């Protein structure tokens, strides 16, 4: 397809640029990012929209990563493009077994599956960086031959000394570019000796500003504040900076949407594009996802991993909903949006630069909304029934006395009567709702311990049951229970209802109807 994104509403509207015209972003001690407006629009984009999510399998997918993947997925679907999953596994020493497979599993579970990936394949693979080493080596050699990169033979010990001296002087550690000045014969001599080496990219002054889809015009004079970066490590694997540039080019990525922590590195990447003679993609840096108190989400929190949410019964729709609800990029901000609604309401010009504050305490409410919608959907309700059947058997297999509780019709009735009251299916197999699946068995002393009127209450209930017979209904039962309250001295409904639950072994024929009333 051919898609013209015309200057993204004139560089996301001139007003957006004017708001950011004189803003400066602090980049800590690594330098300064200058944002400014020029009197021209960003270049229009021609051709197919292709975006990528490129995590490292050094850990499992967490909320921050899911949010980045989601925005890429939505962007691709909004403009009829392709969503690519590429795994950046070049840091072999930190790879976590099973993480690569789990990342793709979690994207599929979340309902945002990639169009091209290590599992799905595709025309521009392979999609594992460890399977593309020859391409990185060839490109790095090309940079060396054209004077844009060089061999560095500095030992780890020397680099450590440089680091300590800089810190002692209160400066940011940086490589001093010593090997940049080696003569060709010196390089050949060291190579002949088999000296360990890396390849470094030669940073040059005069970085061109670029237009970021979120932050506006940006420029970072990286050569003034950093030493020449390593692009090929001693083990032959590339670093992120080179590999992502090469892969984005050969995978024909049109837009790079990634976290704002990479904003100050973009000028470095653009220098590599220029050195290789390649047209760079359009960049958009997404604001960070933070805790509600403004602190950084940390993998050490444990509960931010997607597998944890899946295990705890959180619906993927609820997870996508809350991660977009706390952020920006949409024409409206409301709860309960499904993925198709997120795509239709997505508006890149609405993405703001301030961090998104995530309040996970609201997640049960998001889950309740989406669970209710699934219960009301006939097809999805069938899946919920099968899921709940399995959970009931897992928790109460040895205690179930009546197979009726496992029938679809009964479970469906439970779901419809409790929708809007529960936030997850797991609640229905908790001790609070155990009466729905097993009959309590208590001795008369335990029943009497609740109230001296236990026998009276039981006899009155039996009387109501005998009088109503098969005509007993939820509405009628509610009225009868209220009448019962007027006939006993304690007049405490909670106590009466608690007694009814544990006496249900005598009234098992009507147990389910009793407990499914909404009068509780």
């Amino acid at each position: 397809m051919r898609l013209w994104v015309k200057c993204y509403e004139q560089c996301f509207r001139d007003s957006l640029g004017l708001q950011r015209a004189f803003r400066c972003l602090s980049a800590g001690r690594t330098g300064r990012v200058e944002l400014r407006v020029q009197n021209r629009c960003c270049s229009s984009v021609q051709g197919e929209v292709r975006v990528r999510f490129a995590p490292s399998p050094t850990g499992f997918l967490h909320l921050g990563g899911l949010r980045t993947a989601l925005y890429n997925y939505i962007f691709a679907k909004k403009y009829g493009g392709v969503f690519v999953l590429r795994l950046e596994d070049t840091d072999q020493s930190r790879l976590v077994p099973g993480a690569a497979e789990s990342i793709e599993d979690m994207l599929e579970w979340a309902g945002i599956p990639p169009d091209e990936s290590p599992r799905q394949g595709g025309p521009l693979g392979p999609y594992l960086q460890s399977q593309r080493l020859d391409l990185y080596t060839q490109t790095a050699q090309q940079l060396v031959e054209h004077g844009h990169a060089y061999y560095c033979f500095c030992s780890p010990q020397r680099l450590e000394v440089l680091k300590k001296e800089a810190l002692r002087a209160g400066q940011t550690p940086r490589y001093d570019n010593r090997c940049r000045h080696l003569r060709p014969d010196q390089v050949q001599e060291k190579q002949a000796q088999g000296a360990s080496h890396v390849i470094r990219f030669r940073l040059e002054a005069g970085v061109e500003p670029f237009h970021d889809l979120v932050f506006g015009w940006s420029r970072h004079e990286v050569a003034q504040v950093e030493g020449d970066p390593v692009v090929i490590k001693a083990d032959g694997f590339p670093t992120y900076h080179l590999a992502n540039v090469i892969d984005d080019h050969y995978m024909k990525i049109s837009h790079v949407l990634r976290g704002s922590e990479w904003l100050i590195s973009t000028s470095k990447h653009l220098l590599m594009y220029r050195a290789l003679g390649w047209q760079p993609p359009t960049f958009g840096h997404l604001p960070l996802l933070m805790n509600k108190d403004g602190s950084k989400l940390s993998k050490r929190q444990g509960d931010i991993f997607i597998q944890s949410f899946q295990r705890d019964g959180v619906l993927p729709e609820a997870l996508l909903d809350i991660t977009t609800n706390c952020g920006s990029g949409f024409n409206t901000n409301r709860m309960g949006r499904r993925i198709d609604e997120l795509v239709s309401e997505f508006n890149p010009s609405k993405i703001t630069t301030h961090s998104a504050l995530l309040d996970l305490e609201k997640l049960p409410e998001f889950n309740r909304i989406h669970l209710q919608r699934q219960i009301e959907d006939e097809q999805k309700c069938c899946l919920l029934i099968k899921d709940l059947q399995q959970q009931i058997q897992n928790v109460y297999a040895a205690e179930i006395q009546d197979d009726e509780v496992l029938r679809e019709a009964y479970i469906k009735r439970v779901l419809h009567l409790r929708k809007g009251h529960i936030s997850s299916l797991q609640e229905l197999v908790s001790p609070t709702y155990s009466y729905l699946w097993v009959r309590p068995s208590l001795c008369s002393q335990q029943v009497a311990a609740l109230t001296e009127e236990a026998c009276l209450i039981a006899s009155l209930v039996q009387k109501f049951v005998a009088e109503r017979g098969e005509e007993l209904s939820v509405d009628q039962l509610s009225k009868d229970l209220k009448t019962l309250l007027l006939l006993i001295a304690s007049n405490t409904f909670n106590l009466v209802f608690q007694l009814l639950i544990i006496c249900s072994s005598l009234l098992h024929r009507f147990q389910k109807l009793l407990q499914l009333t909404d009068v509780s």
Side-chain angles (χ1 to χ4, degrees), residues 312-498:
D312 293 340
V314 176
L315 296 174
E317 295 86 352
L319 210 52
L320 300 185
D321 194 7
I322 194 172
T323 54
T324 51
N325 182 267
C326 70
S328 56
F330 299 88
N331 292 323
T332 62
N333 191 28
R334 58 185 177 86
M335 297 174 67
R337 288 182 294 200
R338 297 185 297 262
I339 187 64
D340 58 324
E341 295 169 314
L342 291 174
V343 172
S344 64
E345 295 180 20
F346 181 62
N347 184 347
S349 68
K350 297 287 187 180
I351 301 177
T352 61
T353 59
H354 59 76
S355 299
L357 302 182
L358 177 66
D359 185 359
L360 285 177
E361 292 180 1
K362 295 180 180 179
L363 184 55
E365 177 62 14
F366 280 86
N367 216 52
R368 183 191 65 79
I369 292 172
H370 286 278
L371 180 57
Q372 181 171 345
R373 294 176 73 165
Q374 289 198 7
I375 292 173
E376 293 170 349
D377 183 293
E378 190 68 28
Q379 185 176 0
K380 292 181 178 179
C381 187
C382 289
L383 298 176
L384 293 176
I385 291 171
K386 294 184 183 301
D387 187 358
L388 187 52
Q389 281 177 327
Q390 187 61 53
Q391 291 192 46
I392 295 167
Q393 290 176 314
N394 291 342
V395 177
Y396 296 109
E399 304 173 65
I400 294 176
Q401 298 169 313
D402 189 348
D403 289 339
E404 182 186 349
V405 300
L406 293 175
R407 293 179 182 173
E408 289 187 13
Y410 174 67
I411 293 179
K412 182 177 182 181
R413 187 162 177 238
V414 170
L415 289 173
H416 278 275
L417 286 169
R418 299 314 300 162
K419 70 181 180 183
H421 297 273
I422 57 172
S423 297
S424 71
L425 289 185
Q426 290 183 349
E427 288 184 38
L428 291 176
V429 293
S430 68
T432 303
Y433 286 100
S434 62
Y435 61 81
L436 294 172
W437 324 114
V438 297
R439 298 181 204 157
S441 178
L442 297 174
C443 65
S444 57
Q445 289 86 352
Q446 290 173 296
V447 174
L450 291 173
T451 174
E452 295 178 354
E453 298 181 283
C455 293
L456 173 60
I457 294 172
S459 63
L460 289 173
V461 170
Q462 284 182 310
K463 179 182 176 182
F464 284 132
V465 168
E467 290 176 353
R468 302 302 177 190
E470 296 294 336
E471 298 179 0
L472 189 63
S473 66
V474 171
D475 291 338
Q476 186 59 51
L477 180 59
S478 178
K479 294 177 182 178
D480 288 342
L481 291 175
K482 291 175 182 177
T483 301
L484 177 62
L485 284 176
L486 301 176
L487 300 176
I488 59 176
S490 61
N491 199 28
T492 304
F493 185 77
N494 287 340
L495 182 62
V496 174
F497 204 73
Q498 186 178 6

Side-chain angles (χ1 to χ4, degrees), residues 115-172:
D115 301 302
E116 300 173 18
S117 69
R119 183 177 298 168
Q120 296 291 336
L124 300 176
Y127 298 90
L128 278 171
Q129 286 189 337
S130 58
Q131 298 175 1
R132 302 168 65 87
L133 296 183
D134 288 345
L135 182 60
Y136 306 136
T137 301
Q138 293 169 10
T139 307
Q141 188 60 42
Q142 177 184 338
L143 289 171
V144 172
E145 292 173 356
H146 289 82
H148 298 298
Y150 58 90
Y151 294 102
C152 174
F153 300 91
C154 291
S155 66
Q157 292 77 14
R158 181 178 186 275
L159 298 178
E160 184 63 24
V161 170
L162 287 177
K163 178 180 178 180
K164 290 181 178 179
E165 288 179 348
L167 293 175
R168 191 160 42 243
Q171 300 174 348
T172 301

Side-chain angles (χ1 to χ4, degrees), residues 229-242:
V230 174
V231 291
I232 297 290
K233 296 177 290 186
D235 61 3
F237 280 79
T239 60
Y240 168 82
H241 300 294
L242 179 66

Side-chain angles (χ1 to χ4, degrees), residues 11 14 16-25 32-40 206-212 215-221:
C11 289
D14 290 339
L16 180 65
L18 290 172
Q19 292 171 9
R20 299 167 178 155
F22 304 104
R23 182 185 302 155
C24 289
L25 295 181
R32 184 182 57 177
V33 178
E34 300 172 0
L35 299 182
R36 57 196 176 111
V37 171
Q38 295 184 358
N39 294 323
R40 62 185 178 93
V207 174
E208 291 293 327
F210 69 95
H211 186 271
D212 187 87
F215 286 85
W217 289 101
S218 175
R219 179 174 176 271
H220 180 219
E221 276 293 357

Side-chain angles (χ1 to χ4, degrees), residues 5-142:
V5 182
K6 295 184 177 179
C7 299
Y8 279 94
E9 299 185 1
Q10 196 172 348
C11 289
F12 283 170
R13 298 178 296 193
D14 290 339
S15 60
L16 180 65
L18 290 172
Q19 292 171 9
R20 299 167 178 155
F22 304 104
R23 182 185 302 155
C24 289
L25 295 181
S26 171
R29 295 189 298 173
T30 58
R32 184 182 57 177
V33 178
E34 300 172 0
L35 299 182
R36 57 196 176 111
V37 171
Q38 295 184 358
N39 294 323
R40 62 185 178 93
C41 295
C42 56
S43 300
S44 57
V45 178
Q46 181 180 3
E48 182 182 22
V49 165
R50 290 176 60 86
V51 297
R52 48 75 163 177
F53 174 52
S56 172
T58 54
F60 295 93
L61 186 64
H62 56 82
L63 274 176
L66 177 68
R67 178 172 172 268
T68 300
L70 174 60
Y71 273 78
N72 276 276
Y73 178 90
I74 292 174
F75 191 94
K77 301 311 170 185
K78 181 76 173 183
Y79 298 108
V82 176
F83 173 48
V84 177
L85 171 65
R86 183 176 74 227
L87 295 178
E88 301 191 341
D89 60 342
T90 57
D91 193 347
Q92 295 287 294
S93 63
R94 296 177 57 225
L95 295 182
V96 174
E101 296 78 7
S102 176
I103 289 172
E104 193 155 358
D105 287 342
M106 290 300 97
L107 291 179
E108 292 175 357
W109 172 80
I112 52 173
D115 301 302
E116 300 173 18
S117 69
R119 183 177 298 168
Q120 296 291 336
L124 300 176
Y127 298 90
L128 278 171
Q129 286 189 337
S130 58
Q131 298 175 1
R132 302 168 65 87
L133 296 183
D134 288 345
L135 182 60
Y136 306 136
T137 301
Q138 293 169 10
T139 307
Q141 188 60 42
Q142 177 184 338

